[in-house]
Amino acid sequence: MKTLQLAPSNIETVAVDTLKDHPLNAKIYDDTPINDTSPFYLSIRDQGLLEPIVVLSTGFVVSGHRRLKVALMLEYTHVDCNVRHDLGESHQSAGVTAALILYNTGRVKTTKELEKELFYLAKANSALNVSRADSAKQIADQLDVGERTARNMVDAVEEADDARERGDDDIADAIENAEGTRERNEAVAKAKRKKKPAKRENEVALIKHLRALVEKTSRAIDKPAVMANSREEGTGNEFQQTLVAKLQGVIGTLNRWLEDAGGEP
């Protein structure tokens, strides 16, 4: 027998004044105003909650922000909640971020809301060390978008994380808070342009290190004592001379690479 099981459920009656909106919800979703004539309000007033509000043990709402708003409007003091102890206590964890988004998969969303879902889900996967390829495929399946769209967002998150590590918080914030694809792409392009000088510095350092090793090897082989020892053993010094010449050619190549990378030969 193959059984489709419910997500973890622990229904508790919780005081309304202990519940708190999750700050990420307002960043992602533009909730339409609710008044006492809204169908959503009337449904809860007349039929009660058809689904419990999903919360953390710390009181942060994971799913049901609009239901909580109506409960407050109706002046309820307590409400039935599914307390997700399995998600931990921190409302900022990657697992909670993913849960908040995935609880809204059936929601009708604007393009802007979907883009923000993509970004924050990719960010959560990055924090969970999900590989780029797996993250893109997973997000594409979860949010029903093209894999290329998901992959672009995964790349955007990576650029934002790199910028944050370099101390470029303004660029990281621009990527994270972009209003739409075009604005985010511009921020990502700016991040990549700013990253190039640092990358070149690393390339220059590596080439110089390689050149120093090759020069040291060449000098060691070219020493008179090594040549004399080779002649005594009857091997001659032709091989050493050939090797030294090849190493000098390698040094010449490294010097050209150094110039291409913007370093001094």
Side-chain angles (χ1 to χ4, degrees):
M1 184 174 67
K2 187 176 181 181
T3 304
L4 180 62
Q5 296 181 325
L6 291 170
S9 180
N10 182 46
I11 306 301
E12 298 178 19
T13 301
V14 181
V16 169
D17 60 8
T18 65
L19 300 179
K20 297 160 279 203
D21 285 342
H22 194 297
L24 186 59
N25 190 74
K27 282 187 176 183
I28 297 177
Y29 304 110
D30 297 322
D31 284 333
T32 54
I34 299 173
N35 55 46
D36 58 8
T37 61
S38 301
F40 187 72
Y41 171 91
L42 296 174
S43 171
I44 293 177
R45 185 197 67 180
D46 298 339
Q47 301 181 58
L49 284 178
L50 300 180
E51 292 286 340
I53 297 171
V54 182
V55 301
L56 301 178
S57 59
T58 50
F60 280 98
V61 176
V62 178
S63 176
H65 295 80
R66 298 172 77 234
R67 278 166 275 166
L68 175 60
K69 190 177 295 183
V70 172
L72 289 166
M73 291 171 66
L74 291 169
E75 299 182 345
Y76 282 103
T77 59
H78 291 75
V79 64
D80 285 345
C81 294
N82 177 7
V83 184
R84 291 289 303 271
H85 294 282
D86 60 301
L87 291 175
E89 295 184 352
S90 174
H91 68 283
Q92 296 178 316
S93 74
V96 171
T97 295
L100 185 148
I101 293 168
L102 296 178
Y103 267 114
N104 283 282
T105 50
R107 180 183 184 136
V108 177
K109 288 163 271 197
T110 63
T111 300
K112 177 183 171 184
E113 288 172 335
L114 179 58
E115 285 187 352
K116 287 187 178 294
E117 281 190 337
L118 283 164
F119 181 85
Y120 285 107
L121 196 50
K123 194 174 178 67
N125 282 348
S126 177
L128 293 169
N129 296 317
V130 179
S131 72
R132 291 172 63 187
D134 287 346
S135 180
K137 189 175 187 311
Q138 187 183 98
I139 292 169
D141 291 341
Q142 290 170 330
L143 299 184
D144 194 23
V145 297
E147 198 165 325
R148 181 178 178 182
T149 299
R151 187 165 56 249
N152 287 341
M153 196 60 78
V154 170
D155 290 343
V157 167
E158 187 174 276
E159 291 298 337
D161 289 345
D162 286 348
R164 194 82 68 189
E165 286 180 10
R166 296 194 306 271
D168 291 331
D169 289 337
D170 289 344
I171 290 179
D173 289 342
I175 295 173
E176 184 167 337
N177 300 322
E179 296 290 338
T181 303
R182 182 176 178 180
E183 189 175 315
R184 180 168 284 110
N185 287 345
E186 289 174 354
V188 168
K190 185 176 181 181
K192 288 180 176 179
R193 286 195 301 271
K194 197 158 185 183
K195 188 166 63 174
K196 281 184 179 179
K199 185 178 179 182
R200 284 192 181 129
E201 287 177 12
N202 291 336
E203 289 176 352
V204 167
L206 178 60
I207 293 169
K208 284 185 174 180
H209 179 66
L210 288 173
R211 186 180 65 179
L213 289 175
V214 174
E215 287 175 339
K216 183 178 179 181
T217 303
S218 179
R219 286 194 300 270
I221 294 172
D222 201 26
K223 283 182 179 179
V226 175
M227 295 292 190
N229 187 54
S230 297
R231 283 195 296 273
E232 289 174 7
E233 293 179 0
T235 56
N237 63 4
E238 185 176 339
F239 173 74
Q240 281 84 354
Q241 290 173 345
T242 301
L243 185 56
V244 168
K246 288 189 178 296
L247 289 174
Q248 291 300 319
V250 172
I251 291 170
T253 301
L254 289 172
N255 281 336
R256 287 193 295 275
W257 289 357
L258 200 54
E259 288 180 12
D260 291 342
E264 294 293 329

